[in-house]
Short mmCIF file of all heavy atoms in Angstrom, two decimals:
data_model
loop_
_atom_site.label_atom_id
_atom_site.label_comp_id
_atom_site.label_asym_id
_atom_site.label_seq_id
_atom_site.Cartn_x
_atom_site.Cartn_y
_atom_site.Cartn_z
N LYS A 168 -8.72 12.85 -20.87
CA LYS A 168 -8.63 13.11 -19.43
C LYS A 168 -7.93 11.97 -18.71
O LYS A 168 -8.10 10.80 -19.05
CB LYS A 168 -10.03 13.31 -18.84
CG LYS A 168 -10.05 13.62 -17.35
CD LYS A 168 -11.46 13.69 -16.80
CE LYS A 168 -12.20 14.91 -17.32
NZ LYS A 168 -13.54 15.05 -16.65
N GLY A 170 -6.60 10.80 -14.49
CA GLY A 170 -6.58 11.08 -13.06
C GLY A 170 -5.32 10.54 -12.42
O GLY A 170 -4.72 9.57 -12.92
N PHE A 171 -4.91 11.14 -11.30
CA PHE A 171 -3.66 10.78 -10.65
C PHE A 171 -3.87 10.65 -9.14
O PHE A 171 -4.69 11.36 -8.55
CB PHE A 171 -2.58 11.82 -10.96
CG PHE A 171 -2.33 11.97 -12.44
CD1 PHE A 171 -3.05 12.91 -13.19
CD2 PHE A 171 -1.42 11.16 -13.09
CE1 PHE A 171 -2.85 13.03 -14.55
CE2 PHE A 171 -1.22 11.27 -14.45
CZ PHE A 171 -1.93 12.20 -15.19
N TYR A 173 -1.84 11.30 -6.55
CA TYR A 173 -0.88 12.00 -5.70
C TYR A 173 -1.57 12.60 -4.48
O TYR A 173 -2.73 13.02 -4.53
CB TYR A 173 -0.17 13.10 -6.50
CG TYR A 173 0.66 12.54 -7.63
CD1 TYR A 173 0.38 12.87 -8.96
CD2 TYR A 173 1.70 11.65 -7.38
CE1 TYR A 173 1.13 12.35 -9.99
CE2 TYR A 173 2.45 11.12 -8.41
CZ TYR A 173 2.16 11.46 -9.71
OH TYR A 173 2.89 10.92 -10.73
N ASP A 175 -2.47 15.14 -1.34
CA ASP A 175 -2.72 16.57 -1.22
C ASP A 175 -1.40 17.28 -0.90
O ASP A 175 -0.65 16.85 -0.02
CB ASP A 175 -3.73 16.80 -0.10
CG ASP A 175 -4.33 18.18 -0.12
OD1 ASP A 175 -4.51 18.74 -1.21
OD2 ASP A 175 -4.59 18.72 0.97
N THR A 191 -7.08 21.51 -19.22
CA THR A 191 -7.90 21.70 -18.02
C THR A 191 -7.26 20.95 -16.87
O THR A 191 -6.91 19.77 -17.00
CB THR A 191 -9.33 21.19 -18.25
OG1 THR A 191 -9.94 21.97 -19.28
CG2 THR A 191 -10.16 21.32 -16.98
N VAL A 192 -7.07 21.61 -15.75
CA VAL A 192 -6.48 21.01 -14.56
C VAL A 192 -7.42 21.24 -13.39
O VAL A 192 -7.75 22.39 -13.07
CB VAL A 192 -5.09 21.62 -14.25
CG1 VAL A 192 -4.51 20.98 -12.98
CG2 VAL A 192 -4.14 21.43 -15.43
N THR A 193 -7.88 20.17 -12.75
CA THR A 193 -8.72 20.27 -11.56
C THR A 193 -8.05 19.51 -10.42
O THR A 193 -7.19 18.67 -10.64
CB THR A 193 -10.12 19.70 -11.82
OG1 THR A 193 -10.00 18.35 -12.28
CG2 THR A 193 -10.85 20.52 -12.86
N GLY A 194 -8.47 19.81 -9.18
CA GLY A 194 -7.83 19.20 -8.02
C GLY A 194 -6.46 19.78 -7.79
O GLY A 194 -5.55 19.10 -7.31
N ALA A 195 -6.30 21.07 -8.11
CA ALA A 195 -5.01 21.74 -7.99
C ALA A 195 -5.16 23.10 -7.33
O ALA A 195 -6.25 23.70 -7.37
CB ALA A 195 -4.36 21.90 -9.35
N PRO A 198 -6.12 25.85 -10.57
CA PRO A 198 -6.80 25.11 -11.63
C PRO A 198 -6.76 25.87 -12.95
O PRO A 198 -6.59 27.10 -12.98
CB PRO A 198 -8.23 24.98 -11.11
CG PRO A 198 -8.40 26.13 -10.17
CD PRO A 198 -7.04 26.36 -9.56
N VAL A 216 -1.06 19.86 -5.89
CA VAL A 216 -2.31 19.12 -5.73
C VAL A 216 -3.10 19.69 -4.55
O VAL A 216 -2.55 19.92 -3.48
CB VAL A 216 -2.03 17.62 -5.51
CG1 VAL A 216 -3.33 16.86 -5.23
CG2 VAL A 216 -1.31 17.01 -6.71
N LYS A 217 -4.38 19.92 -4.77
CA LYS A 217 -5.26 20.43 -3.70
C LYS A 217 -6.62 19.77 -3.83
O LYS A 217 -7.36 20.04 -4.77
CB LYS A 217 -5.40 21.95 -3.80
CG LYS A 217 -6.19 22.58 -2.65
CD LYS A 217 -6.25 24.08 -2.80
CE LYS A 217 -7.08 24.75 -1.72
NZ LYS A 217 -6.47 24.63 -0.40
N PHE A 218 -6.95 18.89 -2.89
CA PHE A 218 -8.23 18.20 -2.93
C PHE A 218 -9.36 19.19 -2.70
O PHE A 218 -9.25 20.11 -1.88
CB PHE A 218 -8.30 17.11 -1.86
CG PHE A 218 -7.32 15.98 -2.05
CD1 PHE A 218 -7.13 15.05 -1.05
CD2 PHE A 218 -6.59 15.84 -3.22
CE1 PHE A 218 -6.24 13.99 -1.21
CE2 PHE A 218 -5.70 14.79 -3.41
CZ PHE A 218 -5.53 13.87 -2.38
N ASP A 219 -10.49 18.99 -3.41
CA ASP A 219 -11.65 19.83 -3.16
C ASP A 219 -12.47 19.24 -2.02
O ASP A 219 -12.07 18.26 -1.38
CB ASP A 219 -12.48 20.01 -4.44
CG ASP A 219 -13.05 18.70 -4.97
OD1 ASP A 219 -13.10 17.71 -4.21
OD2 ASP A 219 -13.45 18.66 -6.14
N LYS A 220 -13.61 19.82 -1.74
CA LYS A 220 -14.42 19.40 -0.59
C LYS A 220 -14.92 17.97 -0.72
O LYS A 220 -15.23 17.31 0.27
CB LYS A 220 -15.59 20.36 -0.42
CG LYS A 220 -15.18 21.77 -0.01
CD LYS A 220 -16.39 22.67 0.14
CE LYS A 220 -15.95 24.08 0.55
NZ LYS A 220 -17.11 25.01 0.69
N THR A 221 -15.02 17.48 -1.95
CA THR A 221 -15.47 16.11 -2.17
C THR A 221 -14.30 15.12 -2.15
O THR A 221 -14.51 13.91 -2.29
CB THR A 221 -16.20 15.99 -3.51
OG1 THR A 221 -15.27 16.21 -4.59
CG2 THR A 221 -17.32 17.00 -3.60
N GLY A 222 -13.08 15.64 -1.99
CA GLY A 222 -11.91 14.78 -1.99
C GLY A 222 -11.44 14.39 -3.37
O GLY A 222 -10.61 13.48 -3.52
N ARG A 223 -11.94 15.11 -4.40
CA ARG A 223 -11.55 14.78 -5.76
C ARG A 223 -10.07 15.07 -5.97
O ARG A 223 -9.58 16.13 -5.61
CB ARG A 223 -12.38 15.57 -6.78
CG ARG A 223 -12.08 15.16 -8.22
CD ARG A 223 -13.06 15.75 -9.20
NE ARG A 223 -12.99 17.21 -9.24
CZ ARG A 223 -13.64 17.93 -10.15
NH1 ARG A 223 -14.42 17.34 -11.03
NH2 ARG A 223 -13.52 19.24 -10.14
N ARG A 224 -9.38 14.14 -6.58
CA ARG A 224 -7.94 14.24 -6.76
C ARG A 224 -7.60 14.94 -8.08
O ARG A 224 -8.48 15.35 -8.83
CB ARG A 224 -7.32 12.85 -6.70
CG ARG A 224 -7.50 12.17 -5.35
CD ARG A 224 -7.02 10.74 -5.34
NE ARG A 224 -7.22 10.13 -4.04
CZ ARG A 224 -6.29 10.09 -3.09
NH1 ARG A 224 -5.10 10.61 -3.31
NH2 ARG A 224 -6.54 9.52 -1.93
N LEU A 225 -6.29 15.03 -8.32
CA LEU A 225 -5.81 15.71 -9.51
C LEU A 225 -6.32 15.05 -10.78
O LEU A 225 -6.18 13.83 -10.96
CB LEU A 225 -4.28 15.71 -9.50
CG LEU A 225 -3.58 16.32 -10.72
CD1 LEU A 225 -3.85 17.81 -10.81
CD2 LEU A 225 -2.07 16.04 -10.65
N GLU A 226 -6.89 15.86 -11.67
CA GLU A 226 -7.27 15.41 -13.00
C GLU A 226 -6.76 16.40 -14.03
O GLU A 226 -6.80 17.62 -13.80
CB GLU A 226 -8.80 15.29 -13.13
CG GLU A 226 -9.39 14.14 -12.34
CD GLU A 226 -10.87 13.94 -12.61
OE1 GLU A 226 -11.49 14.85 -13.23
OE2 GLU A 226 -11.41 12.90 -12.22
#
Side-chain angles (χ1 to χ4, degrees):
K168 181 185 291 186
F171 302 90
Y173 296 118
D175 195 34
T191 297
V192 179
T193 56
V216 175
K217 185 178 177 67
F218 295 170
D219 62 17
K220 293 180 180 179
T221 67
R223 185 169 64 171
R224 297 173 180 266
L225 177 66
E226 290 187 347

